[in-house]
């Protein structure tokens, strides 16, 4: 007689993987010794008074990652004690999406925002994907719905739709292909169409339009962090610091990009600083990234206009530890959209390989 199989998809993550007790979180000489090498890494950006609050978490998270066979994917906007001390794979949206497709672990903890965790789940349907705070959203992802995309299809029949990765899985499912800020031009040009709808970031779409002859139709979504920078602000920096180099993320408005010496994705900007080693640089993007790059580029002075992403900043060491202990919050993607959304993401990844 066949033995009935247990449907593990109906079980909670704790039922699947077992309960673990919250480790003790104390600042002791042993913890100081065990975490010394990590503090050494971040000491230029984390004041010594803060380390006793971080170190017990760093130690506990490392221990639980081993016990749970988990990996941490950390976006470039994570704070340095996350990015440099507990992250296993760090990078921009494209790098994290690619890493997610080949990660070898039972559990992925996504230190980033919700759309990134959904992308990881799409590429790892059999793994458990956790986000330390499910309220970590994104103003771009919230600017458009699947119904909006279906309406665009009706208005522009036959025009391919490219979606920036900063969208929900439901939106990705309605689009032809996904892109990130590091491959947007290549993705648009891969379609062989004279006109392309590019959603949802108006400024990234306008930037892509300056790099290609293809006509780009835009949606008016914005990143609430990058839209706040202005060309006037950058001109004022240049006047007071004539030797400054300005590098900007393409989610910034066009007048900001006009003032920039280089425009690129978060990883593109990091590479630019590492390759060029400017004496003084202003990274026109989320503030924590300057801290993370400063750790690896001694001698480069960073001017920080400090716009923080409130969504990225929801991810903290205590919430990461809670994620690993209580296996929350689990990210799932509705079956009705998963296959089509995965196709959009995989089409992009295959183009890039
Ligand atoms: P990157 O793909 O450049 O990392 O950008 C993601 C993002 O959310 C920037 O605001
Ligand atoms: Fe979204 Fe902007 Fe935050 Fe990036 S920085 S996650 S685009 S709100």
């Amino acid at each position: 007689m066949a033995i009935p199989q247990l449907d593990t998809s109906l079980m909670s993550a704790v039922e699947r993987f077992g309960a673990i007790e919250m480790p003790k979180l104390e600042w002791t000489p042993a913890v100081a010794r065990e975490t010394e090498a990590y503090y050494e890494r971040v000491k230029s950006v984390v004041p010594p008074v803060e380390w006793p609050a971080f170190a017990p978490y760093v130690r506990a998270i490392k221990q639980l990652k081993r016990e749970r066979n988990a990996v941490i994917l950390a976006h470039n906007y994570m704070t340095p004690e996350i990015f440099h001390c507990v992250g296993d794979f760090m990078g921009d949206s494209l790098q994290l999406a690619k890493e997610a497709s080949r990660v070898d672990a039972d559990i992925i903890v996504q230190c980033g925002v919700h759309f990134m965790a959904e992308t990881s789940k799409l590429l790892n349907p059999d793994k458990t994907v956790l986000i330390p705070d499910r309220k970590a959203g994104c103003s771009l992802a919230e600017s458009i719905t699947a119904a909006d995309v279906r309406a665009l299809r009706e208005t522009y029949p036959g025009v391919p739709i490219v979606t920036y990765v900063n969208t929900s899985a439901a939106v990705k499912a309605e689009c032809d292909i996904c892109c990130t800020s590091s491959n947007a031009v290549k993705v648009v040009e891969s379609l062989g169409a004279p006109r392309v709808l590019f959603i949802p970031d108006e400024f990234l779409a306008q930037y892509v339009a300056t790099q290609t002859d293809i006509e780009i139709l835009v949606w008016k979504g914005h990143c609430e962090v990058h839209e706040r920078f202005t060309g006037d602000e950058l001109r004022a920096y240049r006047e007071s610091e004539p030797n400054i180099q300005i590098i900007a993320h393409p989610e910034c408005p066009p007048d900001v990009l006009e003032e920039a010496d280089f425009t690129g994705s978060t990883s593109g900007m990091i590479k630019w600083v590492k390759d060029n080693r400017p004496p003084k640089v202003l990274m026109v993007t989320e503030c924590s990234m300057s801290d993370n790059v400063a750790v690896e580029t001694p001698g480069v002075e960073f001017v920080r206009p400090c716009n923080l992403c409130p969504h990225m900043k929801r991810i903290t060491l205590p919430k990461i530890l809670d994620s690993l202990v209580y296996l929350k919050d689990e990210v799932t993607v509705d079956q009705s959209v998963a296959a089509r959304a995965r196709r959009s993401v995989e089409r992009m990844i295959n183009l890039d390989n």
Side-chain angles (χ1 to χ4, degrees):
M1 192 179 76
I3 300 167
Q5 296 292 307
L6 204 61
D7 184 353
T8 52
S9 66
L10 299 176
M11 295 160 78
S12 75
V14 174
E15 283 168 332
R16 290 199 304 278
F17 294 105
I20 282 187
E21 265 186 38
M22 176 63 82
K24 278 212 172 66
L25 295 163
E26 286 169 339
W27 172 242
T28 61
V31 173
R33 258 193 321 278
E34 273 181 55
T35 58
E36 204 176 348
Y38 296 102
Y39 187 59
E40 203 43 41
R41 212 180 277 175
V42 294
K43 68 178 185 198
S44 59
V45 289
V46 174
V49 290
E50 286 182 15
W51 189 245
F54 292 151
Y57 285 97
V58 169
R59 181 175 169 274
I61 289 167
K62 287 190 168 292
Q63 180 194 325
L64 280 198
K65 276 198 298 184
R66 282 192 299 273
E67 282 177 37
R68 292 288 199 197
N69 189 24
V71 291
I72 291 185
L73 304 187
H75 185 262
N76 290 326
Y77 292 164
M78 289 295 105
T79 46
E81 72 281 2
I82 296 175
F83 188 86
H84 287 292
C85 301
V86 301
D88 295 295
F89 301 101
M90 286 73 78
D92 66 12
S93 304
L94 180 61
Q95 290 168 324
L96 294 184
K98 282 184 169 173
E99 212 47 68
S101 68
R102 48 182 175 238
V103 90
D104 184 21
D106 294 324
I107 296 169
I108 297 172
V109 181
Q110 190 86 35
C111 293
V113 292
H114 194 265
F115 74 80
M116 295 178 177
E118 270 193 340
T119 307
S120 290
K121 183 65 186 176
L122 287 173
L123 297 171
N124 291 276
D126 298 331
K127 295 197 168 84
T128 297
V129 176
L130 306 173
I131 186 160
D133 187 332
R134 69 161 60 252
K135 289 201 208 95
C138 169
S139 63
L140 280 168
E142 273 139 38
S143 73
I144 191 159
T145 64
D148 292 329
V149 184
R150 286 192 292 271
L152 285 172
R153 282 244 188 252
E154 275 184 27
T155 315
Y156 299 97
V159 179
I161 306 183
V162 175
T163 176
Y164 191 28
V165 70
N166 298 36
T167 46
S168 65
V171 164
K172 289 184 179 79
E174 299 294 335
C175 296
D176 295 286
I177 187 167
C178 192
C179 77
T180 71
S181 56
S182 60
N183 62 12
V185 177
K186 186 170 162 184
V187 167
V188 163
E189 294 191 334
S190 75
L191 298 168
R195 267 204 321 171
V196 165
L197 268 153
F198 190 104
I199 60 153
D201 187 349
E202 180 185 21
F203 297 147
L204 177 61
Q206 287 172 344
Y207 173 71
V208 171
T210 66
Q211 308 293 306
T212 178
D213 292 333
I214 293 163
E215 187 189 349
I216 309 286
L217 305 173
V218 308
W219 183 259
K220 287 196 178 296
H222 295 150
C223 161
E224 68 188 82
V225 178
H226 291 92
E227 73 174 349
R228 297 212 305 267
F229 295 106
T230 65
D232 283 347
E233 185 186 0
L234 300 191
R235 279 186 288 279
Y237 275 110
R238 267 208 211 282
E239 265 172 39
S240 62
E241 317 249 12
N243 295 328
I244 202 166
Q245 296 286 304
I246 297 181
I247 63 176
H249 195 278
E251 289 171 10
C252 293
D255 65 327
V256 168
L257 300 186
E258 264 168 42
E259 283 301 318
D261 300 299
F262 172 78
T263 297
S265 70
T266 54
S267 288
M269 294 165 86
I270 294 172
K271 184 173 180 323
W272 189 93
V273 174
K274 287 184 178 169
D275 290 351
N276 292 281
R277 299 272 167 165
K280 201 173 267 193
V281 67
L282 194 165
M283 285 185 148
V284 192
T285 190
E286 213 269 354
C287 191
S288 292
M289 201 170 90
S290 295
D291 286 344
N292 290 334
V293 194
V295 166
E296 296 177 332
T297 53
V300 177
E301 189 186 331
F302 289 81
V303 177
R304 295 169 167 85
C306 251
N307 284 354
L308 289 170
C309 172
H311 311 289
M312 292 277 183
K313 296 292 97 96
R314 283 182 174 275
I315 311 299
T316 59
L317 288 177
K319 287 184 194 166
I320 297 169
L321 181 61
D322 273 3
S323 255
L324 285 163
V325 173
Y326 306 115
L327 299 176
K328 63 176 194 146
D329 283 331
E330 190 168 357
V331 176
T332 54
V333 178
D334 201 295
Q335 283 309 313
S336 62
V337 302
R340 288 177 298 133
R342 187 177 305 121
R343 189 211 51 214
S344 279
V345 178
E346 284 179 344
R347 204 173 159 194
M348 163 187 81
I349 290 179
N350 292 340
L351 196 70
D352 241 67
N353 286 335

